[in-house]
Amino acid sequence: MTIDYHDLKQQAETLRQQERFSEALPLYDKLWNAVGDNKDVWIGWRYAQCLRKLGRSEEALEICRQVYQIDSEFDRNNNLYGWCVYDTGIRQPKDKVDEKKLLKAAEAITTLTQQGEYSPYEMAVFAVVEHFESYKNTPKPIPYDDILMWLDKLDPTTLSKQPSTGSDGKSYASSKEKWYRSRAKALLELQHYADCVEVCSEALAEISPLHNDFDVWFRWYRANSLVALGKAKEALADLEYVMERKSDWWVVYKYAQALHEVDEIDNAISYAAKAALPAGGLGFRWELFLDLGNMLAEAGQHDVAIKHVFLAAAIRQEEGWKSVAKLQTALEQMNLSEENLPQAKILHRELQPFWKSVQPKPRTTHKGYIIRIHANGKSGNIRVDSTGAEHFFGMRSYKGDATPEVGMRVMFNLREQENKKTGKLELHAVDIYPDS
């Protein structure tokens, strides 16, 4: 080698360290190609790094392959090789993913590199998991077995618990939180209930704060698993926590089912009635109506029980669905026929007064009045009578029939919730009802 080679090498390295990659690149090209077969892997790695920094990952990938052939144990090159594979195989438009290409790239990365701070290993695994989870927006079933297989490639003890901060300044879930939430969901769906309970309990004990309502979702997954394991009594506290934060009918329905399992029949009927009240989505709730009918029959309220069983049967009939054993059993036990059923929407309307009369009474801790409705109509502020403090509320937390307006007297609870703009926890008004 001549002195010119060493001078060129020093000049290239100076430019690279100054992040003047476009100027360093032609020098590294000369250095890499000047020596024939006696190539320096460090020159190759720096050459590939400059290419990638300039957005030329395809070319960088080829140089990394050449370096790998010389020294397959060179970790820095292997990590850069992995990042080039990530750029060319995993970074794809969300709406047009070539799954075969993505999986091939992820397999290559998890073979080439090891889990660590400078490697794309973790990101490759999570990219595959997120891709499989996106099946929920398609007719394809989510491959939960495959999700667990990919998550098993990660050592959760080395995953960071530190939330990331996006370019928008918001806080996002850490790697460890993402691992726990994807694993818990997969375990629940695969009916690995004991493992799901364990994973959810670990996540709740180990990670704080949790993002995207996962303090709620981990409890939801755990509660469902406990009920499936015949431990409904242990599930009640989790379901109450979830119900305080999500008023969706399916949450209330699951709570009613758990109450029924522990022989609290009156409370079970009360909460099932609350879940039955919303007008929309009858097709999703046929089983709720059937279960409520069976509960009422068990409690000796046969006339109203019959209406609920008819409602379940009418919904399935109008949807064109085949009859199922559970419904047939209820019909036979009550000596009922599916012929000449009333319309489902008529039955639903007729049952509204009954459901309203037996639904649970709201439990609130504060009173006050609405002082502001925001321009978007989706939120506002309430002033507390006892303290004079103002608290934000979202319209989804309002439970009354009358339209909320400035000056309306309300009763409500206060709960810590994340400010979606700042990521900070604040006391918000929730469970809001008109104070009649």
Side-chain angles (χ1 to χ4, degrees):
M1 296 183 189
T2 66
I3 188 70
D4 292 337
Y5 178 91
H6 294 291
D7 286 346
L8 197 63
K9 180 179 177 181
Q10 183 60 50
Q11 185 181 355
E13 179 59 9
T14 299
L15 290 168
R16 187 186 71 88
Q17 290 179 346
Q18 293 173 349
E19 299 187 2
R20 296 161 65 182
F21 301 113
S22 60
E23 296 173 62
L25 183 61
L27 306 186
Y28 279 120
D29 181 63
K30 288 181 182 179
L31 290 166
W32 183 244
N33 293 301
V35 292
D37 294 334
N38 190 27
K39 295 185 184 294
D40 181 342
V41 293
W42 283 98
I43 293 295
W45 173 73
R46 290 165 181 150
Y47 181 20
Q49 185 192 46
C50 289
L51 284 165
R52 182 170 184 261
K53 290 288 188 180
L54 293 169
R56 296 163 64 178
S57 291
E58 290 276 6
E59 296 168 74
L61 181 60
E62 180 54 37
I63 301 302
C64 286
R65 285 197 184 105
Q66 294 175 30
V67 174
Y68 184 81
Q69 290 171 356
I70 298 169
D71 184 359
S72 62
E73 302 298 320
F74 184 19
D75 285 344
R76 287 203 185 189
N77 181 69
N78 290 352
N79 284 340
L80 182 58
Y81 194 173
W83 280 115
C84 293
V85 173
Y86 190 95
D87 294 341
T88 57
I90 291 182
R91 291 190 199 276
Q92 300 184 42
K94 294 284 186 184
D95 59 345
K96 197 175 181 181
V97 175
D98 181 334
E99 184 177 286
K100 186 176 180 180
K101 183 179 180 182
L102 181 144
L103 293 176
K104 183 179 178 181
E107 289 283 6
I109 289 168
T110 54
T111 301
L112 272 171
T113 70
Q114 296 181 337
Q115 184 178 347
E117 183 180 359
Y118 302 107
S119 150
Y121 190 105
E122 286 182 17
M123 289 181 63
V125 170
F126 283 124
V128 173
V129 170
E130 289 167 13
H131 171 68
F132 285 147
E133 289 175 338
S134 74
Y135 280 17
K136 68 183 179 182
N137 301 316
T138 75
K140 293 188 289 187
I142 298 175
Y144 288 108
D145 278 318
D146 290 335
I147 287 174
L148 286 184
M149 180 193 74
W150 279 91
L151 291 173
D152 282 341
K153 293 177 181 287
L154 295 172
D155 176 1
T157 64
T158 67
L159 293 173
S160 173
K161 291 195 287 187
Q162 183 65 38
S164 59
T165 302
S167 57
D168 55 5
K170 293 183 179 179
S171 176
Y172 290 91
S174 67
S175 297
K176 181 160 283 192
E177 183 180 347
K178 290 194 293 184
W179 185 88
Y180 270 120
R181 69 192 189 191
S182 293
R183 190 170 191 82
K185 174 66 170 174
L187 289 169
L188 176 63
E189 294 295 335
L190 292 170
Q191 300 180 13
H192 298 172
Y193 299 123
D195 290 338
C196 183
V197 170
E198 181 179 357
V199 165
C200 292
S201 297
E202 285 179 8
L204 289 165
E206 191 171 340
I207 304 173
S208 182
L210 289 161
H211 297 74
N212 303 321
D213 292 333
F214 260 81
D215 59 318
V216 174
W217 289 115
F218 283 128
R219 286 177 171 85
W220 174 249
Y221 299 154
R222 184 168 67 182
N224 277 268
S225 296
L226 287 167
V227 170
L229 290 168
K231 300 178 179 180
K233 190 171 184 178
E234 294 179 39
L236 291 176
D238 279 341
L239 289 169
E240 287 165 4
Y241 183 96
V242 175
M243 210 163 41
E244 285 176 358
R245 292 155 178 80
K246 289 190 177 293
S247 58
D248 304 84
W249 70 267
W250 40 268
V251 176
V252 183
Y253 175 33
K254 178 59 69 172
Y255 186 60
Q257 288 177 307
L259 288 168
H260 188 224
E261 288 291 321
V262 297
D263 297 324
E264 292 191 26
I265 186 67
D266 291 339
N267 279 336
I269 290 171
S270 180
Y271 280 94
K274 180 179 179 180
L277 274 164
L282 295 186
F284 294 108
R285 287 183 290 156
W286 73 267
E287 196 166 13
L288 158 64
F289 301 128
L290 178 58
D291 282 350
L292 181 48
N294 286 330
M295 291 179 200
L296 289 162
E298 184 181 333
Q301 301 184 54
H302 295 287
D303 290 344
V304 72
I306 288 171
K307 285 190 176 183
H308 285 81
V309 175
F310 276 154
L311 175 55
I315 290 169
R316 291 192 64 84
Q317 193 174 88
E318 290 171 16
E319 293 287 350
W321 297 336
K322 293 179 181 178
S323 189
V324 291
K326 185 176 181 179
L327 177 57
Q328 283 303 309
T329 298
L331 289 165
E332 289 169 10
Q333 288 176 343
M334 298 183 193
N335 296 316
L336 304 176
S337 169
E338 292 182 90
E339 295 181 7
N340 301 316
L341 290 171
Q343 286 186 342
K345 64 180 181 181
I346 293 175
L347 284 168
H348 191 268
R349 186 167 59 246
E350 289 177 354
L351 285 165
Q352 289 282 325
F354 170 76
W355 293 329
K356 288 179 180 179
S357 71
V358 300
Q359 70 171 324
K361 298 297 183 285
R363 293 177 290 181
T364 56
T365 56
H366 294 79
K367 290 189 175 185
Y369 59 96
I370 297 174
I371 60 169
R372 188 177 301 111
I373 301 291
H374 297 150
N376 60 12
K378 296 180 180 179
S379 57
N381 296 89
I382 291 173
R383 176 166 287 137
V384 184
D385 285 345
S386 59
T387 65
E390 295 181 16
H391 295 279
F392 173 92
F393 75 95
M395 285 298 176
R396 290 186 65 183
S397 293
Y398 177 75
K399 312 299 183 185
D401 292 328
T403 302
E405 57 186 21
V406 174
M408 176 186 280
R409 296 285 310 167
V410 289
M411 49 187 181
F412 55 94
N413 294 314
L414 293 176
R415 186 176 305 121
E416 273 196 343
Q417 292 186 332
E418 183 180 322
N419 183 312
K420 300 300 183 184
K421 292 183 178 179
T422 66
K424 295 180 179 178
L425 291 176
E426 299 175 350
L427 274 179
H428 289 179
V430 296
D431 307 325
I432 305 163
Y433 295 86
D435 185 10
S436 51

